[in-house]
Amino acid sequence: MKVIKDIREMQSISNALKKEGKIIGFVPTMGFLHKGHISLITESKKKSDVTVVSIYVNPTQFSPSEDFEKYPRDFKSDENLCINAGVDIVFYPNGDYMYSDEHKTFVITEELSTKLCGISRPEHFRGVTTIVAKLFNIVNPNIAVFGQKDAQQSIIIKKMVEDLNFDIDIIIVPIVREVDGLALSSRNKYLSEKHRKDAPTIYSALTKAKDLIKEGEKQSRNILDFINKTLLSVPDLKIDYVSIVNMQNFEKVETIGTNTLIAVAVYFDSTRLIDNILIN
Ligand code: AMP
């Protein structure tokens, strides 16, 4: 496995691979890899000849009050996980040269980026789309794999790819969970023992809500009441939002039909966790 730190070197390797007719699969990450990331890598390997994983904690998607500085980083462990997962290339750029001091260009996917997580994190998706567009231009993949865990991000990236004519297939992989249901996340590391024990309530609220819907409850209002009540019964948990929306445009829906996303964001102290479930 190669570790490439230089942007130009990454570009020329990708160009050479493309000339040889190789299909490049790409998995962008912020590192501190876990089994969720590995499932994206596995999917990329199934669909491509060469898998590139990027590891870069992108400053522009964090607001000044968020956890950019303390975001967990462990390159040695990430490198080993990538080797074991059969990754071909890790793109691990130095933070200082991904954005020059003169950086002026940002990609914004309007409307989609101001809903759900965009309400409490107004700059977040601008940072995500900008870094993903940059990485797409550097890695030049045929396919790129993202996780349903960040459902809003996945849809926004798909829209960006469509609107800006990137010739890249976007693949979305299901959420990988701990045995108790908690969605794997690099941020789970921040949870205290007590909060870690309580956190699976997020997923159990979502699955029980899905059961209620299967049993015939179609009013979003009632499902929202149920999820809010369940979450509020957890000590120390603060709700950022619970929303029932159309999966494509994130508009709130009153009656639950197909293509509905139930999305949740909560805080345990300053640790923000997100989760979601699709109703099809
Ligand atoms: P991150 O490193 O947190 O920015 O995540 C990189 C990619 O991994 C994103 O596409 C995430 O949606 C995906 N991902 C993170 N956690 C999970 C998970 N538990 N299951 C599936 N994909 C995930």
Side-chain angles (χ1 to χ4, degrees):
M1 187 183 80
K2 280 200 183 102
V3 177
I4 309 290
K5 296 190 171 183
D6 184 72
I7 293 174
R8 290 233 175 269
E9 189 184 355
M10 185 68 242
Q11 281 170 323
S12 65
I13 289 175
S14 282
N15 290 341
L17 288 166
K18 282 271 182 78
K19 275 198 192 121
E20 288 172 27
K22 300 276 196 248
I23 304 288
I24 301 178
F26 178 43
V27 180
T29 81
M30 296 207 298
F32 210 69
L33 303 180
H34 51 64
K35 287 185 193 134
H37 298 110
I38 302 300
S39 80
L40 272 57
I41 292 169
T42 306
E43 187 64 20
S44 168
K45 284 179 63 67
K46 270 190 220 152
K47 301 224 156 71
S48 63
D49 302 313
V50 176
T51 288
V52 180
V53 172
S54 65
I55 296 178
Y56 179 63
V57 184
N58 171 39
T60 62
Q61 68 192 68
F62 292 80
S63 77
S65 64
E66 289 181 337
D67 55 341
F68 172 69
E69 292 297 342
K70 74 165 194 174
Y71 193 85
R73 293 157 170 92
D74 186 346
F75 183 70
K76 268 287 146 225
S77 156
D78 289 347
E79 192 180 22
N80 284 330
L81 284 170
C82 285
I83 291 170
N84 291 336
V87 171
D88 299 287
I89 298 173
V90 169
F91 178 53
Y92 181 51
N94 179 318
D96 295 342
Y97 55 69
M98 277 305 274
Y99 294 96
S100 77
D101 293 342
E102 296 303 310
H103 188 94
K104 297 279 184 254
T105 309
F106 289 87
V107 179
I108 298 173
T109 305
E110 291 182 341
E111 291 170 30
L112 294 181
S113 59
T114 58
K115 301 192 167 100
L116 302 175
C117 291
I119 296 169
S120 57
R121 307 186 76 193
E123 302 288 295
H124 174 67
F125 290 109
R126 175 183 99 134
V128 170
T129 36
T130 300
I131 192 64
V132 171
K134 280 167 74 68
L135 289 166
F136 281 175
N137 283 328
I138 294 166
V139 175
N140 194 13
N142 302 85
I143 65 164
V145 190
F146 291 84
Q148 174 65 23
K149 158 90 181 350
D150 298 85
Q152 184 175 12
Q153 167 174 287
S154 304
I155 296 293
I156 288 175
I157 298 291
K158 278 191 167 179
K159 189 75 186 109
M160 175 187 83
V161 162
E162 181 190 331
D163 289 351
L164 298 185
N165 307 97
F166 282 102
D167 189 11
I168 300 171
D169 283 340
I170 303 299
I171 295 167
I172 313 295
V173 167
I175 301 176
V176 178
R177 299 178 179 282
E178 301 281 6
V179 276
D180 59 13
L182 178 65
L184 292 185
S185 164
S186 308
R187 288 192 168 100
N188 292 349
K189 170 190 157 62
Y190 299 148
L191 295 170
S192 69
E193 207 176 311
K194 166 87 177 66
H195 293 162
R196 173 64 190 83
K197 274 200 190 120
D198 288 341
T201 307
I202 305 164
Y203 183 55
S204 63
L206 290 172
T207 44
K208 280 184 203 143
K210 193 168 183 172
D211 290 343
L212 291 175
I213 295 163
K214 273 195 204 142
E215 286 160 19
E217 179 57 73
K218 294 284 182 274
Q219 291 308 309
S220 294
R221 199 167 12 98
N222 296 337
I223 297 294
L224 288 171
D225 277 354
F226 169 77
I227 298 174
N228 277 304
K229 268 195 202 122
T230 309
L231 293 177
L232 288 174
S233 72
V234 178
D236 297 342
L237 183 153
K238 214 179 98 210
I239 295 175
D240 180 9
Y241 67 80
V242 179
S243 279
I244 302 187
V245 296
N246 175 291
M247 177 65 192
Q248 299 310 319
N249 57 19
F250 312 137
E251 294 290 345
K252 289 191 174 156
V253 295
E254 281 180 17
T255 309
I256 299 168
T258 53
N259 248 331
T260 301
L261 178 76
I262 309 184
V264 170
V266 303
Y267 289 95
F268 281 99
D269 295 333
S270 60
T271 303
R272 189 170 182 281
L273 301 180
I274 56 171
D275 203 345
N276 66 81
I277 201 161
L278 261 176
I279 311 294
N280 272 318

